[in-house]
Structures are given as structure tokens and as C-alpha cells.
Amino acid sequence: MAATDLGKIDSRPSPLRLIPAAILLVAVLALAAAPWWAGRADLRLLMEALAYLALAQMWNLLAGYTGLVSVGQQAYVGLGGYLFFALTIFAGVPVIPAMALAALITALIAIPTGWIAFRLNGAYFAIGTWVIAEVFRLVAAQVAALGGGSGISLPVGIVRALGDRAAIEMTMYYMAFFIGISSVLFVWLLLRSRWGLALTAIRDSELAAETLGVNTRRVKFLIYVITAGFTALAGSFIFLQKLRITPDAAFSLNDWTAFVIFIVVIGGIGTIEGPILGVIVFFALREVAADWGTWYLMLMGGIAIAVMLIDKRGLYGWLKHRLGLVLLPTNRTLD
């Protein structure tokens, strides 16, 4: 066996692998065709689920592979939303370029804020990210041009530029489809790259990764900036869909971080498939129990605790152990 064959990604097809691959393909095709089979309410639910999928994939990439447990990712959801509103309203940037530009600017802003957060470790890092998010919220509340504490609505003309009502719904759905699917594809391709080897090494043992020559701090910082930008992209879409933004809604710890952590934890942290399964469970629970008030939140907390006590790998980790189910393989084998 040649030395160059070491660490090759196993891409050989097998009957066991073809079944989950077929399931995944059918699911993606069904989502792609949703405007033709789903009702208006169902489409809005799917758009929200796809946005949450992107947020969950980014938080999972940050916490599940680099060990950076952030409770302040709402900072970048809100920042993406506010930058999107500012670009479209005051700079006249069209909707889609404004979303991309908001994500890019947010990633640039994440560089100095990340430098501050990275001076903290462990629980202090988590608290620091929350403080950064609160600073952004307070600053947004002071910007009178963006409505201050009351927020601001997106002018109707900006949305109408996308076309008539049917065209707007179609365009917005495929925005959500692109954001959700590309988040999964991005993480999958990243983990299959050389950077993925570094991330997997950090996930398994940061000390061992450093011993092997991985610059763990640089890798972690790069992932922090990338996840900030992608989170902002999802945030800009979320508030485009809502057509209104306020500081409390944009920087909501409950909506954009607590729920996302729940999705990742019950689905399976440190896996690509875990957030997918977690989103399905989260929205199924919400549809059933959303009218239960505080009991709904208690139920979610109880389920998260139960999953962690029974199997810390989450629902997908349990399924993978029991059934060998792998939808998006990233493992490397020796041939």
C-alpha cells in the first residue's frame, strides 16, 4: 500500500450506503418541488425550518467541531438582519445582493469581535459571546434611522421589486431552500477537505491535534468568522420574511440560540445529520405543543435532558450506532 493512499476518503458505493443516499436525494427533490405540492402555510413553515437548519448547522460546526460553545450567535442573526434592512432601505441595494453583502460585512465585523471573544476560555467564552450580542442589541436600539427601540419595517416597494405575489413566494422559498441546503453541503464539503481533517482532530482531541501540528487557534478563529457570516445570511432572510425588525426580536437569545442549541443537542452534536433530525423533531414538537404556553418550553427542556442522559450522542448518534445509518459520509479509511 502506497503512502499516498493513507487517509483517502472512502467513496466506494455499497448497498448499505445507497439506501440512505437515495432517501436523502428524494428528500431534497421533494423540498425542491415544494411550491408545486405544498400550500402557502406549509411553504412558510418550510422556509422557517430551512432557516433554522442553516443556523443549527453553523452552531454545530462551531461547537461540535471546535468546542466553541457560543450562546451569543443571535448577535450575527440580528446584525445580518439590520445590515440587510440598512442596505436595502438607505443604499438601494437589491434584495439578493443585499443579503450577500450583509453576510460579508458581518463576517468582517466578526473578526474584531472574535478577537475579543477568543481572549476568553470555556464558560467565559460563552458568557463573552452573550455580552457581545447584548452590546449589538443596545447599539441597534440607539440608531434612530433604523427605528431605535421600536424597530423598522421593510418598505413594500422593496419586496414588490421581486415580482407579483406568486413570484415573491416562489423567490423567497428558493432563497430559504438555497440557504438551508447550502449550509448542509458547505459543512459536508468542508469536513471532506483537509480543513475537515483538522476539525475532526480538534473534535476528537484538541491536545492531540496540536501535537500533530494543527494550528487549533487559527482553525477555530476561521470557523468562528465563517459561521458568523453564514448565520447573518440566514438572519437577513428571516427578517426579509418577517418584513419588520426590532432589537429584541433580532437579538433574541431564546429564538436564535436556545432553540438552535436544543435542535443540535437532541439531533446529535458533532454530526451533519444531527441538526437535520433535530430540526424535524423541533418543528414537529412546535406544531403539536406550541399552544401549551410555558409547558411547551418545559417539555423541550425535559426532552433535551432525557436525550443527554440516555445517549449523549443524540438521536442521530443512537440511530447510527443501532442501524449504521450514514446519510453524509465524511469518514476516511485506509485502502
Side-chain angles (χ1 to χ4, degrees):
M1 180 175 62
T4 54
D5 291 334
L6 293 176
K8 184 185 293 183
I9 295 178
D10 183 12
S11 58
R12 296 170 298 177
S14 66
L16 187 62
R17 185 178 300 170
L18 291 176
I19 294 174
I23 294 173
L24 183 63
L25 178 61
V26 170
V28 172
L29 291 175
L31 286 173
W36 286 274
W37 59 261
R40 184 171 296 163
D42 295 327
L43 280 180
R44 292 189 65 85
L45 183 64
L46 286 173
M47 284 190 277
E48 189 177 0
L50 288 164
Y52 264 100
L53 175 60
L55 295 178
Q57 287 289 352
M58 291 304 107
W59 191 87
N60 180 53
L61 181 62
L62 187 65
Y65 287 92
T66 67
L68 296 172
V69 180
S70 169
V71 293
Q73 289 305 95
Q74 68 272 18
Y76 301 117
V77 174
L79 193 56
Y82 266 104
L83 285 171
F84 168 73
F85 270 57
L87 289 167
T88 53
I89 295 172
F90 304 117
V93 181
V95 168
I96 295 177
M99 291 172 64
L101 193 54
L104 177 60
I105 295 172
T106 299
L108 294 175
I109 294 174
I111 295 174
T113 56
W115 181 83
I116 296 171
F118 270 62
R119 299 180 69 86
L120 306 170
N121 296 309
Y124 297 103
F125 174 85
I127 295 171
T129 57
W130 173 75
V131 171
I132 289 171
E134 284 299 293
V135 170
F136 283 152
R137 183 183 67 82
L138 293 172
V139 169
Q142 302 306 312
V143 181
L146 292 171
S150 301
I152 190 171
S153 297
L154 197 65
V156 177
I158 292 174
V159 180
R160 284 181 178 172
L162 296 174
D164 58 22
R165 185 170 184 175
I168 290 171
E169 290 180 352
M170 183 79 71
T171 301
M172 290 186 65
Y173 176 77
Y174 280 112
M175 285 180 187
F177 179 79
F178 171 79
I179 291 170
I181 299 301
S182 64
S183 71
V184 177
L185 186 61
F186 168 75
V187 175
W188 182 60
L189 292 175
L190 178 66
L191 293 178
R192 289 174 67 89
S193 68
R194 294 185 64 183
W195 281 92
L197 284 175
L199 287 171
T200 303
I202 292 172
R203 180 192 64 182
D204 295 340
S205 173
E206 185 172 343
L207 179 60
E210 291 178 348
T211 303
L212 291 172
V214 177
N215 188 333
T216 57
R217 184 175 180 83
R218 184 177 66 180
V219 172
K220 287 182 174 184
F221 191 83
L222 178 63
I223 295 301
Y224 180 85
V225 173
I226 290 172
T227 56
F230 213 116
T231 297
L233 180 64
S236 65
F237 171 77
I238 287 168
F239 289 100
L240 168 63
Q241 187 183 14
K242 293 179 179 293
L243 301 177
R244 181 170 177 79
I245 191 168
T246 65
D248 289 341
F251 300 97
S252 171
L253 172 64
N254 195 51
D255 290 341
W256 314 127
T257 298
F259 287 162
V260 169
I261 293 175
F262 172 81
I263 287 169
V264 176
V265 168
I266 65 167
I269 193 169
T271 66
I272 303 175
E273 298 88 346
I276 300 174
L277 183 57
V279 165
I280 295 171
V281 173
F282 171 72
F283 277 88
L285 281 173
R286 202 182 71 170
E287 288 299 298
V288 171
D291 296 332
W292 295 3
T294 55
W295 288 102
Y296 163 58
L297 298 176
M298 293 172 64
L299 175 64
M300 288 178 57
I303 291 173
I305 293 171
V307 169
M308 287 186 287
L309 289 176
I310 295 171
D311 195 329
K312 293 181 180 179
R313 295 170 297 184
L315 296 176
Y316 173 74
W318 181 84
L319 287 173
K320 182 179 179 181
H321 176 72
R322 292 283 183 175
L323 306 176
L325 181 65
V326 180
L327 294 178
L328 295 164
T330 60
N331 59 298
R332 294 169 178 260
T333 61
L334 299 178
D335 290 337

